[in-house]
Amino acid sequence: MEILRCSHLKKSYGSGSGKVTALNDVSFSLERGSFTAIVGASGSGKSTLLHMLGGVDRPTSGNIYIEDTDISTLKPEQLAAFRRRKVGLVYQFYNLIPTLNVRKNILLPVLLDNQKPDEKRFQQLTEALGLTERLSHLPSELSGGQQQRVAIARSLIYHPAILLADEPTGNLDRKNSQETIELLKLSNQRYGQTILLITHDEKTALEADRIITLEDGKIVHDEVTG
Ligand SMILES: Nc1ncnc2c1ncn2[C@@H]1O[C@H](COP(=O)(O)OP(=O)(O)O)[C@@H](O)[C@H]1O
Ligand SMILES: [Mg+2]
């Protein structure tokens, strides 16, 4: 079953002679429970694509459906709420709130929604990610690998329809990178979490079941791996 579909996505920045076309007619869909990698040279449009799919920014034209919602029809406040509940976002530099402890960082999407935390979900995630001893620490008191695990826990707290990760291991050493990818795979294999992962590392891309290659804002390869 399809969980995400984008059709004829275009994104341009600037205008006139300074105009850059970052995405040029990108269409594809993702099956529920799939693990897909996006690869491509720097500047090929990978981050732009993720921002469009995650509702962080809007495309110049084209449509994005997530679980049958056309996100281009949502008003800004609706889009913000949709993003909090349905899309998990993980970035290279963690994007944690420095003044909030680990527990509050993980629960942030829920607290912003004025919802009561699902303590069982919280406990499951923090145990699986090895964070139970760190819940009252500030991000600055954690290693890079631990900070990224907090960001992953935050992205998964709501059972999102899709987890979007942009070079999540780009700032980590090899051991922490491997662990982070293993945790993403575990959430995919054990819990059926749908994942779209940007990476420039071929070995990491091979962990996915499908690899989409971008070049100059277009899909040039789309292959199912082993
Ligand atoms: N906010 C922006 N303003 C202007 N140009 C941008 C902006 N964001 C990205 N671009 C341009 O769009 C193209 C694609 O960028 P990006 O999606 O960041 O590529 P990647 O993540 O694959 O390195 C690049 O040419 C980049 O310079
Ligand atoms: Mg990028």
Side-chain angles (χ1 to χ4, degrees):
M1 205 171 76
E2 226 171 71
I3 202 157
L4 178 148
R5 178 155 49 92
C6 62
S7 56
H8 306 294
L9 273 191
K10 272 199 177 194
K11 178 68 176 178
S12 310
Y13 295 107
S15 60
S17 60
K19 187 169 158 179
V20 174
T21 302
L23 287 181
N24 191 358
D25 200 20
V26 169
S27 303
F28 65 94
S29 61
L30 297 178
E31 291 292 308
R32 185 184 293 273
S34 58
F35 181 5
T36 305
I38 303 251
V39 300
S42 176
S44 58
K46 304 182 298 296
S47 294
T48 300
L49 175 61
L50 222 72
H51 288 150
M52 304 299 118
L53 299 179
V56 178
D57 196 2
R58 296 198 188 252
T60 307
S61 60
N63 297 87
I64 297 160
Y65 298 87
I66 296 178
E67 282 187 336
D68 296 328
T69 299
D70 179 350
I71 67 171
S72 59
T73 64
L74 300 177
K75 298 194 181 76
E77 320 81 73
Q78 292 174 315
L79 184 62
F82 185 86
R83 198 168 63 218
R84 274 202 298 275
R85 294 168 197 159
K86 292 291 182 182
V87 183
L89 281 165
V90 177
Y91 294 102
Q92 182 175 352
F93 293 108
Y94 330 129
N95 288 13
L96 302 175
I97 309 279
T99 52
L100 296 182
N101 67 25
V102 166
R103 178 179 159 87
K104 285 192 174 153
N105 263 289
I106 294 173
L107 291 174
L108 194 64
V110 180
L111 300 175
L112 286 172
D113 259 351
N114 292 315
Q115 298 290 312
K116 219 170 143 258
D118 176 346
E119 294 295 341
K120 204 170 149 220
R121 173 76 175 162
F122 178 80
Q123 197 185 333
Q124 251 182 8
L125 270 176
T126 49
E127 271 173 21
L129 293 166
L131 292 169
T132 46
E133 307 291 305
R134 295 283 180 274
L135 299 180
S136 58
H137 287 62
L138 293 173
S140 60
E141 298 168 330
L142 304 178
S143 71
Q146 288 168 334
Q147 289 185 61
Q148 192 59 300
R149 280 184 266 146
V150 174
I152 291 172
R154 178 183 59 188
S155 77
L156 294 175
I157 193 74
Y158 255 130
H159 293 283
I162 182 152
L163 173 67
L164 302 172
D166 192 348
E167 304 269 11
T169 62
N171 195 43
L172 300 177
D173 60 29
R174 183 201 289 252
K175 180 168 167 285
N176 278 297
S177 295
Q178 275 170 357
E179 276 176 19
T180 301
I181 297 299
E182 285 305 317
L183 288 167
L184 293 180
K185 269 174 71 179
L186 188 74
S187 76
N188 172 252
Q189 288 172 352
R190 190 178 295 172
Y191 303 107
Q193 176 65 52
T194 311
I195 299 178
L196 187 64
L197 166 77
I198 291 181
T199 180
H200 64 251
D201 179 45
E202 281 173 33
K203 241 178 91 193
T204 302
L206 285 170
E207 302 279 355
D209 352 287
R210 175 181 173 192
I211 303 179
I212 295 176
T213 309
L214 281 184
E215 206 175 286
D216 292 335
K218 280 182 180 288
I219 293 179
V220 292
H221 284 291
D222 185 349
E223 57 180 335
V224 173
T225 58

